C-alpha cells in the first residue's frame, strides 16, 4: 500500500506482511481487490491491478462495477470480512486466533460493532465462530471503538459548547470552524462522527452539522431521526442524499445560512 | 415494580404488562426474581417475594446467594436474557419479533453491545437467532446506545473542557463539581460513563475521575489500561476494586487531593 497502516490498527496480527512502496511496483501474477467499489478507489495501486495477469474483485458494495476478470460481489454481506471468512471456510482451512482477530475487526468496524442495519443473522453466526477462535473482544472493542485522540475529544468539547437546540428541542445545530480545528490541534479526520452529536440528543428530529471550508463556504450535513426527509432540504441547495442523511455545500455567511435553513426546516418539523 | 419504566425503554413491546404499584401488593403463587444477586436488590419487592408460595431465582452474577426455592444461576451467561432465551427454546416456544426484541435488548445492554469480555460465542449465536426473528438492530442500537439527554451531553462538554493530561500524556484527570451539574441541569444519572473519557484517550495509562460529594468530599474512580494496578492506589485511601478499575472516597481540597494522587501514580507509571 502507499501509506503506513494507521497506528490505531498496529495491534493487528500479520501487519508486518503489509508492505509500503515508494517506487513503481512490480508486476504481479495475481491481484485481489478487496472492498473496492470501482478502480478509482485503488488510487495509485490501479497500475498494479491493470498490469496483473489475473485480477479478482471481492466486494459487498451495491455500486460495484465488476471491474476484474473474476468478480465476487455479495451485496447482502455486511463486510468483505464476512465473504473472506466464508471463502476460508469453504477452502477447509482452520481459522486460528490471528486470522479470527483480523476477520472480526473487519466485520465489527463495517457494522459499527453489530449496530448498523447491515448486521444480519449470518454476521452474528460468523462472530460466534470467530470469538470461539479466541478473539479478545474487550481489548479489540476498546481500541477500535473507545480510543479517541486528544485533539478529537477537545474538538468534541468545542462542538458541544456551541451546540444549539431550536424549535422546542426538535432542531439541533452544531458546527466546526477552522478556528476550532486550529485551537484543538485537530485535523479533518477528527471531524468523523461529530455530525451525530446533535442527532443523538433526546427529542431532536433534525440535526444540522456545518463544517467551514475556507472563508465563506460551508459543507452541511443533515440527519433526521424518524419523519423528516432531509434529502429534500439538501436538494434545494444542489445537494442530495437519503431520507435520513443528506448533505450539500453552501456559500455565504454562517448566520445567514443558518437563518435560512431554520426557516426551511421549521416548515417540515 | 415501584417506578415507571424509564422513558428511554418505552419502545419495548409488552411494556403495558408491567404494573407499577403504590399500595401493599397482593400475595402471589409464583414469583420469579431475575438478574438479582441477593434479596436486598429487590427493594420493596422483597415482601412479594417472601410471601409467595413458590420462588424462583434466575441470575448470572457470581455473587448470587441462591435465595429462592429454585435457583438457576449460570455465571458464564453474559446476560439473564441469554438464560431466558435458552429456557424459552427448551420449552419449544417459537420466539416472535416482540420477544426477540426484548431478549436482544437484555443481551446487548448487558454486554455493552457485544463489546465486554462477557461476550461469548453463545451470545453471538443467540443474537443471530434473535436478529433472524426480525429485531430492528439499527433502531434499537440508536435508542439504547446513541441517544443522550441534553444535560448529559452538556456535562460531557464541561468535563472535556476541564480535562487535564499529565506525566507526558499517560495520566488523565477529569472531574465533576456540583457547580458543573447545576449549570448543565444534569443529575447523578448523567455522570454515568463519563469516568471513561480520560481512559479512552490515546496514550493514557491511568485516568482519575473525581466527583464532588458535598463541600469537601470526593468520590474518586481510577481506571488503567494495560499495566498499572489501580486497586493498590485506591486501597491506600481505604478504597478498593480491581486491577483496572478501582475507587475510594477522600475528604479534603480538590487540588491537594490531586497533587497527592499525582505523586503516588507517578511512581507506578
Amino acid at each position: 500500500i502507499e501509506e503506513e497502516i494507521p497506528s490505531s490498527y498496529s495491534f493487528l496480527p500479520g501487519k508486518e506482511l503489509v508492505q509500503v512502496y515508494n517506487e513503481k511496483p512490480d508486476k504481479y501474477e495475481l491481484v485481489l481487490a478487496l472492498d473496492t467499489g470501482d478502480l478509482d478507489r485503488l488510487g495509485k495501486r490501479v497500475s498494479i491491478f491493470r498490469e496483473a495477469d489475473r485480477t479478482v474483485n471481492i466486494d459487498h458494495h451495491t455500486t460495484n462495477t465488476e471491474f476484474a476478470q473474476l468478480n465476487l460481489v455479495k451485496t447482502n454481506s455486511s463486510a468483505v470480512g464476512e465473504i473472506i471468512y466464508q471463502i476460508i471456510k469453504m477452502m477447509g482451512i482452520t481459522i486460528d486466533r490471528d486470522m479470527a482477530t483480523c476477520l472480526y475487526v473487519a466485520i465489527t468496524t463495517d457494522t459499527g460493532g453489530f449496530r448498523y442495519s447491515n448486521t444480519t443473522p449470518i454476521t452474528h453466526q460468523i462472530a460466534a465462530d470467530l470469538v470461539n477462535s479466541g478473539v479478545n473482544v474487550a481489548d479489540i472493542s476498546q481500541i477500535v471503538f473507545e480510543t479517541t485522540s486528544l485533539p478529537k475529544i477537545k474538538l468534541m468539547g468545542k462542538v458541544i459548547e456551541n451546540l444549539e437546540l431550536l424549535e422546542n428541542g426538535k432542531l439541533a445545530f452544531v458546527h466546526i470552524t477552522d478556528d476550532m480545528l486550529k485551537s484543538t490541534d485537530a485535523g479533518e479526520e477528527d471531524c468523523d462522527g461529530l455530525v451525530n452529536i446533535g442527532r443523538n440528543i433526546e427529542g431532536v428530529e433534525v440535526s444540522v452539522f456545518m463544517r467551514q471550508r475556507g472563508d465563506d463556504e460551508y459543507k452541511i450535513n443533515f440527519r433526521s431521526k424518524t419523519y423528516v426527509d432531509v434529502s429534500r432540504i439538501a436538494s434545494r441547495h444542489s445537494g442530495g442524499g437519503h431520507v435520513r442523511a443528506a448533505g450539500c455545500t453552501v456559500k455565504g455567511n454562517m448566520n445567514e445560512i443558518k437563518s435560512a435553513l431554520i426557516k426551511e426546516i421549521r416548515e417540515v418539523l
Side-chain angles (χ1 to χ4, degrees), chain A residues 139-154:
Chain A
D139 283 2
I140 290 176
S141 300
Q142 169 68 33
I143 297 169
V144 170
F145 294 112
E146 311 298 341
T147 305
T148 329
S149 71
L150 183 62
K152 179 160 189 171
I153 196 93
K154 285 283 181 196

Side-chain angles (χ1 to χ4, degrees), chain A residues 164-189:
Chain A
E164 281 177 88
L165 281 200
L166 304 163
E167 300 298 313
N168 232 346
K170 288 199 280 186
L171 173 59
F173 267 93
V174 292
H175 69 266
I176 294 179
T177 60
D178 289 340
D179 284 348
M180 287 161 72
L181 289 184
K182 250 179 240 160
S183 69
T184 55
D185 240 343
E188 205 47 51
E189 70 284 2

